[in-house]
């Protein structure tokens, strides 16, 4: 059974006149372009510890298949603000799983979309186990659209 033991969080922004390349540039900005990313649903594994991006990247090899939870959004609507956000809720009892929520879309420049994602992750944890989270946080990328713009927020499992 594959059960991740570690996780790191990252985010990125990419802009280009091609949507695929803007996505690649967002992955580069996030530091995860060298991996074959496999999206998974939004469960924070039990007993999974958070590590720094630098430590996580040092444990991965180019071309490796890597599981992740990713919020991603691409737009070419010049002047609009877009976002990708992961909300995270981790229980005090590390034997329970936590939750991640992915939200993405258009927003106002000063809108706290990260807080919204964080609150939804908290809600998922509380309603699943009837426990309050020990910790909640969010990872959010926001950008004003120029050409094609892509934003990503990612939890990378090791």
């Amino acid at each position: 059974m594959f059960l991740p033991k570690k996780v790191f969080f990252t985010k990125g922004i990419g802009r280009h006149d091609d949507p695929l390349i803007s996505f690649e540039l967002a992955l580069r900005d996030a530091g995860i372009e060298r991996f074959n990313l496999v999206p998974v649903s939004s469960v924070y594994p039990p007993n999974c510890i958070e590590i720094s991006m630098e430590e996580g990247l040092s444990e991965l090899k180019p071309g490796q298949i890597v599981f992740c939870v990713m919020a991603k959004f691409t737009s070419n609507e010049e002047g609009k603000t877009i976002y990708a956000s992961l909300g995270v809720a981790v229980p005090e009892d590390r034997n329970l799983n936590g939750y991640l929520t992915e939200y993405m879309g258009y927003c106002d420049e000063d809108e706290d979309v990260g807080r919204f994602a964080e609150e939804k992750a908290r809600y998922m944890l509380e309603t699943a186990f009837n426990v309050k989270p020990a910790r909640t946080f969010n990872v959010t990328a926001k950008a004003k659209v120029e050409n094609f713009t892509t934003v990503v927020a990612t939890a990378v499992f090791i």
Side-chain angles (χ1 to χ4, degrees), residues 18-31:
D18 180 85
L20 180 61
I21 295 174
S22 78
F23 176 54
E24 166 70 13
L25 295 175
L27 293 178
R28 287 182 189 180
D29 189 43

Side-chain angles (χ1 to χ4, degrees), residues 16-143:
H16 196 271
D17 59 7
D18 180 85
L20 180 61
I21 295 174
S22 78
F23 176 54
E24 166 70 13
L25 295 175
L27 293 178
R28 287 182 189 180
D29 189 43
I32 55 175
E33 79 284 356
R34 297 173 306 229
F35 312 113
N36 288 303
L37 301 171
V38 178
V40 296
S41 62
S42 310
V43 174
Y44 190 105
N47 298 305
C48 191
I49 60 167
E50 184 182 347
I51 59 175
S52 70
M53 184 174 95
E54 294 74 23
E55 183 180 345
L57 291 174
S58 74
E59 295 188 32
L60 299 172
K61 305 246 185 289
Q64 183 174 343
I65 294 172
V66 176
F67 295 98
C68 68
V69 175
M70 180 184 293
K72 170 189 132 182
F73 195 72
T74 302
S75 175
N76 67 343
E77 292 191 50
E78 295 269 342
K80 288 200 171 187
T81 300
I82 61 172
Y83 75 97
S85 185
L86 283 182
V88 184
V90 181
E92 190 170 313
D93 180 352
R94 303 297 289 194
N95 292 309
L96 298 175
N97 66 270
Y99 282 92
L100 298 112
T101 56
E102 312 100 78
Y103 285 93
M104 65 286 297
Y106 296 97
C107 64
D108 294 329
E109 209 168 306
D110 58 349
E111 189 176 353
D112 193 354
V113 291
R115 185 77 181 140
F116 179 82
E118 188 176 328
E119 284 303 310
K120 296 309 174 198
R122 179 195 54 75
Y123 175 83
M124 297 288 284
L125 179 64
E126 288 179 359
T127 58
F129 300 114
N130 198 29
V131 297
K132 300 280 185 204
R135 179 172 177 233
T136 64
F137 62 96
N138 69 79
V139 178
T140 302
K142 264 188 180 180

Side-chain angles (χ1 to χ4, degrees), residues 13-15 22 73-75 82 143-150:
I13 299 168
R15 293 183 176 90
S22 78
F73 195 72
T74 302
S75 175
I82 61 172
K144 178 98 46 193
V145 175
E146 301 168 20
N147 293 319
F148 280 96
T149 301
T150 300

